Amino acid sequence: MATKRALITGITGQDGSYLAEFLLEKGYEVIGMVRRSSTVNFERIKHIQDRLILAFGDLLDHASMIDIIETYRPNEVYNLAAQSFVQTSWSQAIFTGEVTALGVTRLLDAIRLVDPEIRFYQASTSEMFGKVREVPQTELTPFYPRSPYGVAKVYGHWITVNYRESYNMYTTSGICFNHESPRRGHEFVTRKIARTAVRIKRGIENDLHLGNLEAQRDWGYAPDYVQGMWLMLQHDTPEDYILATGRTQSVRRFTELAFDVVGLDYSKYVVQDARFVRPADVDLLVGDPSKAKKLLGWEATTSFEQLVRLMVESELAHPDNY
């Protein structure tokens, strides 16, 4: 049997690095797309970099998408690249649309032109639900995005459906609810909380500035979720799925647990700061993963408490926090 080949955009990110590890363990040949930039950070993949093929490309450039697909002829494409920070999408709304929305079209169209038999995974997001119309959210819940990022992701989601229905391509979207890990970017609230709790414990910082402490999220562990992405492309028919834990926790609870790990009372150090409140916030996101469990046999296996502890203990072992 020929070795399967997968292309991952966004391979240097949290999900891309875990997915690359997962696929290598499955015996895949893995191609990672990276932008030609002087600031590319290979930190998350340095331990597997010698087992990867890295190819230069950019979701802003249709020609580079065509070139990568023609050169490497992958069996599967996982589009994880995006401008994915919600807060940044307010100050870079046009750029977010170009990358996170139209970038999906450029990649899909490259696949259509070169080899429409390629199976395609689009990283959709719970932020598409925004001002939620029902609780919990299912694959059929109407979208009501509340940020330029969420709006761009809705476009990416529907263009994926459109190419599936218009060209009979195997394209699928995973509507992933929040999933975290020690590899989360510093700008995300969970990593910020875990890192700052450790730095306060060590006397490096004095307080933690946060926005809406009552925002509720469905938080899971990223390695669980990349398995779900892979399972979607192994299914007989292309469909869209929610990946979630089905349970919700507040930012306040995440903060409380993180500070508990280092033996501190979070309430003595947290400062609510208007700078970190979004212009239009999303208060409650919780997904119904029953379709993924029924059709794919997938479910999240890492508890919220385990996730918080994993993230804080990783920060305790990090030399930057001394």
Side-chain angles (χ1 to χ4, degrees):
M1 183 177 175
T3 300
K4 274 192 170 183
R5 183 176 291 172
L7 170 66
I8 303 173
T9 73
I11 195 168
T12 60
Q14 170 189 260
D15 291 4
S17 64
Y18 283 120
L19 179 60
E21 287 178 346
F22 179 86
L23 294 177
L24 288 170
E25 290 172 6
K26 291 283 183 185
Y28 278 67
E29 185 176 11
V30 178
I31 301 101
M33 191 187 87
V34 294
R35 287 183 297 145
R36 194 178 293 278
S37 167
S38 60
T39 58
V40 175
N41 183 358
F42 294 104
E43 181 68 25
R44 296 184 183 95
I45 59 170
K46 66 180 182 180
H47 61 296
I48 54 170
Q49 193 169 337
D50 61 346
R51 301 169 62 193
L52 303 171
I53 299 170
L54 298 180
F56 290 110
D58 197 316
L59 289 177
L60 297 175
D61 179 30
H62 189 216
S64 70
M65 298 294 95
I66 293 172
D67 183 61
I68 287 176
I69 300 298
E70 282 185 333
T71 300
Y72 296 102
R73 298 283 176 156
N75 306 102
E76 300 170 0
V77 172
Y78 297 85
N79 183 37
L80 308 185
Q83 191 303 100
S84 59
F85 188 42
V86 176
Q87 193 74 29
T88 297
S89 77
W90 291 101
S91 58
Q92 298 184 21
I94 295 171
F95 176 72
T96 299
E98 285 285 354
V99 176
T100 307
L102 288 176
V104 185
T105 311
R106 295 184 187 101
L107 183 51
L108 280 168
D109 211 55
I111 293 169
R112 179 185 68 84
L113 291 170
V114 177
D115 182 2
E117 296 302 310
I118 292 170
R119 296 192 170 197
F120 175 83
Y121 170 84
Q122 165 63 11
S124 289
T125 170
S126 58
E127 289 287 332
M128 300 188 305
F129 295 118
K131 189 175 182 179
V132 298
R133 314 311 288 263
E134 62 182 0
V135 178
Q137 292 86 59
T138 74
E139 290 81 3
L140 300 177
T141 300
F143 299 135
Y144 195 143
R146 299 269 282 170
S147 67
Y149 168 71
V151 172
K153 279 292 190 179
V154 169
Y155 177 96
H157 178 87
W158 281 118
I159 200 68
T160 300
V161 173
N162 189 259
Y163 268 66
R164 178 169 74 221
E165 296 178 349
S166 300
Y167 301 114
N168 197 32
M169 292 166 59
Y170 193 111
T171 66
T172 181
S173 285
I175 305 174
C176 294
F177 281 64
N178 291 63
H179 48 288
E180 317 296 322
S181 76
R183 297 182 192 174
R184 215 20 159 165
H186 288 287
E187 68 272 25
F188 288 87
V189 68
T190 50
R191 181 74 187 276
K192 177 181 176 180
I193 293 167
R195 186 168 189 264
T196 307
V198 170
R199 291 173 67 82
I200 290 173
K201 178 68 174 179
R202 291 179 170 155
I204 302 169
E205 295 190 32
N206 298 316
D207 48 36
L208 168 62
H209 289 246
L210 295 173
N212 181 9
L213 289 172
E214 308 315 322
Q216 300 276 329
R217 292 293 183 271
D218 184 327
W219 269 305
Y221 184 43
D224 291 344
Y225 285 59
V226 300
Q227 181 195 32
M229 298 172 191
W230 175 77
L231 285 169
M232 287 182 205
L233 294 195
Q234 314 315 307
H235 195 57
D236 290 339
T237 56
E239 301 185 40
D240 304 322
Y241 300 88
I242 279 178
L243 299 183
T245 69
R247 296 175 295 276
T248 186
Q249 303 284 349
S250 68
V251 174
R252 183 182 299 278
R253 180 60 176 157
F254 193 106
T255 308
E256 180 182 13
L257 289 174
F259 276 74
D260 282 349
V261 174
V262 296
L264 296 177
D265 178 355
Y266 82 101
S267 65
K268 296 179 180 179
Y269 303 97
V270 172
V271 178
Q272 284 200 271
D273 191 330
R275 291 177 301 163
F276 300 109
V277 176
R278 301 175 186 176
D281 210 350
V282 175
D283 296 319
L284 174 63
L285 293 172
V286 56
D288 178 359
S290 56
K291 180 181 177 182
K293 184 175 182 178
K294 179 181 178 181
L295 297 186
L296 305 177
W298 179 89
E299 60 183 329
T301 59
T302 306
S303 73
F304 178 69
E305 292 76 17
Q306 288 173 318
L307 168 65
V308 176
R309 180 167 289 277
L310 275 167
M311 293 187 69
V312 176
E313 288 180 347
S314 174
E315 296 297 334
L316 285 167
H318 205 285
D320 286 353
N321 288 324
Y322 284 94

